[in-house]
Every structure is written in structure tokens, then in C-alpha cells.
């Protein structure tokens, strides 16, 4: 299964499988200084895979080297696409450096010349050491484990010699009449007027002479027999474009999403979002997830009567988003960030990489009908100018890339935020009755309704009245299997009572257009003394444990979500 877009006329193959591996150790210079030609490979590792999710290297921080020997045509232009790695990578082809990857979880690509001969080797050096300078997008205080490995699939293509497609963005102009706009781009940014053949859903192509300006072209057209994409009926269409020796197939959905008068409108109709924050991770494999694991999670989310997934806190796997398209889930996708502090946000390299990874996320995910909201910098300091200025820039960059989807950011300072005007949707994370000033009451559930109303009252400002609102995080921890007649914190009973109250408060406050419970399944988090607040060094607020075993709260949420339409 390859993520869309597809390029049928290119020799394209996934490089998933068992690669050679060598552990280079913990005390090493930067990746750029490692002489890869001297590495002795004496182990095997899976790709996708995380070396520190495997028992032998669990907890280790250092550099792992992956090598694949493969056949490829000589003297051809090649393209390598990687779905994402962490924390920092260096890719080499026959000892030639292809690229440095410093954006964990980001899908990246590079083009290169294959060189002489048919036998080649691809090496990926992966460094999972935290380094605020080399890898400023990931920090040890992030509340999810920073694994080391090749998180997602790689694909290698042999490129056609002539004109080559880059992407074709498909945006919906009119759902009722199935009218869409194709905005295509070629790799070459030149002006020419080629013949482009195009068609939908496998039907015969029709040929047009199209004016291409600086590599870009637009075609306005009707999708024959086009049906709307909705959560209940997620109809998908494909568009095929052919020019000279290249061909591209993009998959898309005919749908619109916009905000109006405090509502989120999907195809013009108000929608209320109910679902979960979901880390794309598993206790045995880390972020190297598989279609089987994704489909199980999506089955469970459907069983919980959810329609919404916040893909916290990084760009999502394209194959996972393809499944969300097919199953009709609504997704908030966000670029990587977690409570970044002032000293991090002042780092010019951090700011540059935040912009690059966010634009990259939008361009990569542009045709997923399931992605309805863009976000970034979870709980970044939007109450200080250093953070607010970057968030305004990110919102501006996203709007340039994609004016069709609303933008938001999950704030933990929503009452004092300096940049709510930059967002189309106001989102906030609250944990009343869990975190707080050590309430003497062992079960301070009364704080939930009080906090909802305090925040909503403080946001009753004229400039916000038309902006929808999402409670983007709220939850309580429970240790799987911990049952307690006193129903105290960390028991499954307290978590069930907590989310019972949360859902009741959400149902009773139509001003809230969405709820994303924190969170779907327990997930590994930081190690070290900070983990003293995280029993087992896991974030235990999952409705299910890390092996997707349901806690007592499961049926409480399922019952409430069944009622919310
Ligand atoms: C924050 C953060 C989440 C998680 C949560 C918690 O809101 O965005 O990633 O850390 O708190 O469990 O405390």
C-alpha cells in the first residue's frame, strides 16, 4: 500500500523490509562527521522500525546505521521519498550524501543521480540524541518518547527523462455540481504549453493544450458522476493526468470545510466534532506503525462513536490519512511542537524549521478530504510575543498554501493568548480536576463545569463571537486494572467519573463545536525524574491502555458520543 499520489509510469518501489544495521554508539560526533564507508554492519533491523523500540537498544541514545543493498538503473535521475524518521537523519547513496533530515515525523524527498553500475547501497544514519541545536524540533521535556529510527516507509522511483509532474492539488469549488479546480505543478518551473491528458476514476482521458507558467497550471472541471465526501458516505475519486512520459494519480474527496457564525460547516452543514487525541505509536514499535495497527485503532474509534481525530503532535503518516479518507474520519493535523519554551522559540533554527515543516505538512496532505483543520505548536507560549509572533507567521504561511481549511492551535493560555485573531477556530487544553493547586477534595470533579464556564465567559468577546471553539484536550489518568472503591485519582473509576462529567458538560454547551479527549491510548513518554509524574513512564490518560485494552471509561465515552450528533 503506497500513499497517494501515485506515479504509474515510474519504476517505483517501497523499500520496507529487513535492512542491515550497526549500532555506532552513544559518544559520537555529529552525523555529518561520520565516515559511513567504514561502518561494519553486523545486525538486522526492520524498516520502518525504531532501534530503541527493540529490546537490545531500549533506552539508548546514540547513532544507528541502516543499510540496504539494492539494484537500480545506472545513470538515471532518481527520487527517494521518506515518510518520516527521528530524531535526526543523514541519507547516503553509494557514500554520497543525499540529505540531512532534521524534522522528525516529516515526510521528505530528494532527487539524485544513480551513478554508474546497477548495484548500489542506501545508508540511513539515525541519531536519537536530543540536541537543542542540531534537532531543535524535539526536546526531552516533550510528553512523548523521542524514538530513534526510520519511522515510516521509504519509496524509490526512477524518474522519466523529460517533463515530470510534482503534485496536482484538487480543491472543491462546488459540491452539488462536483466542480473542482486542479492546480498542477511540474518539477521544472518553466513556461510552456504541453498537451495534458486527464480523466477521473479510471475513465478515458481527454487531452487539452494547457498553458503552463513557471511550472504551474490550472484546470477547472466537473467530476463526471462526482459524489460528495462526507463522514457517513466518504466517496473518493481519483484524477489521472498524463503529459509526455509521466503520469500522476491523485485521490481526493469532493467536500468543503469552512467556519461561519461560530460553526464548523462541512459541505455547508454544521458539524460537531467528538473524538480523541491520538499518538501514532505502539509500545513495541514506537511510531513505526502498520496498516493492521492503524485499522484496529480506527475500528475502535468508530466503535466509540467518534468522528474526529486530532493527530497529536506531529505530521501524520500519509498512509494513515489515506485510511481516514476511506473511513470518513475528520482529522486535525498539526506540525511538531509541544509546550515550547521561550528559549526554544527564540532559536532562529527552531523558527526556520517550524515554518519549513508546517508548509511541508500542508503541501503533503493537501488532497486528504479527512484533514479539515491545520494546527501547529501544541501549547506553545501564545501568551508571549516570542511565541505569538511565530504562530502568526505559521498561520500566514498556511493560508498562503491552503486558503480552503481553517487554522487553529491548542492553547494552554487561551485566557491570555496574544494571537487568537490569527486562528479561525479557538482551541484550548484544560485539565480541571486533574492538574491544579492540590485541591483538598480527593475528587474535585466540580471544577470541570466551573472551568468550562470560566473559559467560555472570558472568551465572550465581540472579535471571537464568530469563531468556532474546540476543547482540544481534557482528560484524567488511570492505571489499567487499578480499581478502587474510593474512586481516587489514578483509578479507572475516577477516570470514568471524570470523563462522564466532561462529556455531560460538553453536551450541555453548544458553544463548543468540538471535543478531543486526551487521549486515545496510553503512550510512552519521557524517561528520567520527570517521569515521576508519569507512572510507568507512560502517559496514562488513555481510554485504552497502550495495548488497546479498554479501561472502564470506554463504555462511558461510547454512550455519551452515541448521543452527540
Ligand atoms: C498537554 C499536552 C499533551 C499531554 C497532556 C497531559 O496538554 O498537550 O501532550 O502532555 O498535557 O497528559 O498532561
Amino acid at each position: 500500500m503506497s500513499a497517494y499520489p501515485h506515479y504509474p509510469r515510474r519504476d517505483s518501489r517501497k523499500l520496507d523490509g529487513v535492512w542491515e544495521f550497526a549500532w555506532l554508539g552513544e559518544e559520537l560526533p555529529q552525523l555529518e562527521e561520520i565516515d559511513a564507508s567504514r561502518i561494519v554492519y553486523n545486525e538486522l533491523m526492520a524498516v520502518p522500525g525504531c532501534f530503541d523500540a527493540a529490546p537490545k537498544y531500549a533506552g539508548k541514545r546514540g547513532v544507528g546505521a541502516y543499510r540496504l543493498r539494492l539494484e537500480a538503473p545506472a545513470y538515471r535521475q532518481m527520487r527517494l521519498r521518506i515518510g518520516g524518521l527521528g530524531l535526526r537523519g543523514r541519507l547516503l547513496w553509494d557514500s554520497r550524501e543525499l540529505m540531512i533530515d532534521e524534522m522528525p515525523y516529516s515526510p521528505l524527498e530528494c532527487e539524485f543521480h544513480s551513478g554508474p553500475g546497477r548495484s548500489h547501497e542506501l545508508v540511513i544514519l539515525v541519531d536519537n540524541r536530543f540536541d537543542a541545536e542540531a534537532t531543535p524540533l524535539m526536546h526531552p521535556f516533550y510528553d512523548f518518547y523521542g524514538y530513534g529510527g526510520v519511522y515510516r516507509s521509504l519509496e524509490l522511483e526512477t524518474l522519466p527523462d523529460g517533463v515530470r509532474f510534482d503534485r496536482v492539488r484538487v480543491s472543491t469549488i462546488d459540491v452539488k455540481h462536483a466542480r473542482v479546480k486542479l492546480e498542477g505543478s511540474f518539477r521544472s518551473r518553466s513556461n510552456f504549453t504541453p498537451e495534458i491528458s486527464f480523466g477521473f476514476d479510471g475513465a478515458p482521458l481527454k487531452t487539452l493544450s494547457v498553458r503552463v507558467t513557471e511550472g504551474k497550471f490550472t484546470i477547472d472541471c466537473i467530476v463526471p458522476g462526482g459524489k460528495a465526501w462526507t463522514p457517513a458516505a466518504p466517496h473518493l475519486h481519483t484524477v489521472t493526468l498524463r503529459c509526455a512520459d509521466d503520469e500522476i494519480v491523485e485521490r481526493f474527496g469532493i467536500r468543503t470545510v469552512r467556519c461561519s457564525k461560530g460553526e464548523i460547516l462541512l459541505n455547508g452543514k454544521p458539524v460537531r466534532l467528538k473524538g480523541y487525541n491520538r499518538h501514532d505509536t505502539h509500545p513495541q514499535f514506537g511510531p513505526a506503525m502498520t496498516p493492521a495497527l492503524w485499522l484496529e485503532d480506527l475500528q475502535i474509534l468508530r466503535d466509540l462513536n467518534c468522528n474526529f481525530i486530532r493527530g497529536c503532535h506531529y505530521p501524520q503518516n500519509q498512509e494513515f490519512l489515506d485510511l481516514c479518507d476511506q473511513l470518513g474520519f475528520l482529522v486535525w493535523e498539526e506540525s511538531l511542537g509541544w509546550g515550547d519554551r521561550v528559549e526554544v522559540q527564540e532559536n532562529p533554527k527552531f523558527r526556520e524549521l517550524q515554518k519549513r515543516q508546517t508548509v511541508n505538512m500542508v503541501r503533503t496532505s493537501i488532497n486528504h478530504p479527512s484533514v479539515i483543520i491545520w494546527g501547529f505548536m501544541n501549547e506553545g507560549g501564545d501568551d508571549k510575543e516570542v511565541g505569538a509572533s511565530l504562530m502568526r507567521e505559521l498561520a500566514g504561511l498556511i493560508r498562503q498554501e491552503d486558503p480552503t481549511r481553517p487554522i487553529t492551535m491548542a492553547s494552554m493560555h487561551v485566557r491570555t493568548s496574544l494571537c487568537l485573531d490569527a486562528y479561525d477556530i479557538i482551541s484550548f487544553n484544560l485539565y480541571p480536576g486533574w492538574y491544579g493547586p492540590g485541591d483538598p477534595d480527593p475528587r474535585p470533579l466540580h471544577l470541570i463545569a466551573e472551568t468550562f464556564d470560566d473559559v467560555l465567559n472570558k472568551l465572550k468577546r465581540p472579535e471571537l463571537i464568530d469563531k468556532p471553539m474546540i476543547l482540544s484536550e481534557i482528560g484524567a489518568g488511570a492505571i489499567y486494572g487499578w480499581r478502587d472503591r474510593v474512586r481516587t485519582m489514578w483509578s479507572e473509576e475516577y477516570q470514568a467519573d471524570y470523563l462522564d462529567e466532561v462529556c455531560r458538560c460538553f453536551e450541555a454547551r453548544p458553544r463548543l463545536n468540538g471535543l478531543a479527549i486526551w487521549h486515545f491510548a496510553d503512550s510512552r513518554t519521557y524517561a528520567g525524574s520527570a517521569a515521576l509524574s508519569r507512572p510507568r513512564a507512560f502517559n496514562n490518560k488513555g481510554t485504552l491502555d497502550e495495548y488497546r485494552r479498554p479501561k472502564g471509561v470506554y463504555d462511558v465515552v461510547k454512550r455519551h458520543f452515541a448521543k452527540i450528533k
Side-chain angles (χ1 to χ4, degrees), residues 280-469:
D280 195 38
T281 191
H282 186 277
Q284 285 174 261
F285 311 108
M289 296 284 281
T290 66
L293 293 170
W294 290 318
L295 284 168
E296 284 188 21
D297 283 2
L298 292 169
Q299 271 180 17
I300 294 167
L301 285 160
R302 178 69 21 93
D303 183 62
L304 280 162
N305 298 308
C306 297
N307 63 4
F308 179 52
I309 300 167
R310 178 182 174 212
C312 60
H313 294 295
Y314 33 76
Q316 298 295 291
N317 193 308
Q318 290 298 304
E319 295 175 46
F320 174 71
L321 293 177
D322 278 346
L323 294 175
C324 291
D325 295 341
Q326 287 172 249
L327 296 173
F329 282 94
L330 300 169
V331 176
W332 158 341
E333 188 177 15
E334 63 186 27
S335 47
L336 173 59
W338 190 93
D340 293 301
R341 294 151 185 183
V342 168
E343 62 276 13
V344 169
Q345 293 178 345
E346 285 171 342
N347 175 348
K349 183 174 179 182
F350 171 83
R351 298 177 80 90
E352 174 51 34
L353 287 178
Q354 276 294 343
K355 295 176 206 172
R356 201 185 311 163
Q357 68 146 341
T358 302
V359 169
N360 183 64
M361 169 185 76
V362 173
R363 288 179 178 169
T364 307
S365 295
I366 195 70
N367 283 338
H368 288 292
S370 58
V371 176
I372 59 163
I373 296 171
W374 299 119
F376 44 69
M377 288 185 68
N378 170 67
E379 293 196 344
D382 55 324
D383 60 336
K384 295 183 180 63
E385 195 44 41
V386 66
S389 58
L390 178 54
M391 291 171 198
R392 289 183 200 287
E393 282 190 87
L394 294 175
L397 287 169
I398 293 176
R399 283 199 181 88
Q400 278 174 18
E401 286 299 321
D402 176 18
T404 71
R405 292 177 175 92
I407 296 168
T408 192
M409 175 264 180
S411 175
M412 69 184 287
H413 312 284
V414 73
R415 299 176 180 91
T416 55
S417 174
L418 301 178
C419 53
L420 296 182
D421 58 291
Y423 312 137
D424 303 301
I425 296 172
I426 307 299
S427 300
F428 40 88
N429 300 344
L430 303 173
Y431 287 91
W434 183 258
Y435 297 124
D439 193 305
D441 178 346
R443 292 166 35 82
L445 298 176
H446 63 88
L447 294 175
I448 294 170
E450 289 169 23
T451 305
F452 273 44
D453 293 334
D454 177 57
V455 169
L456 291 175
N457 287 336
K458 289 210 170 46
L459 294 178
K460 263 185 193 152
R461 305 197 302 248
E463 70 275 18
L464 302 180
I465 194 163
D466 282 339
K467 297 194 183 209
M469 294 190 179

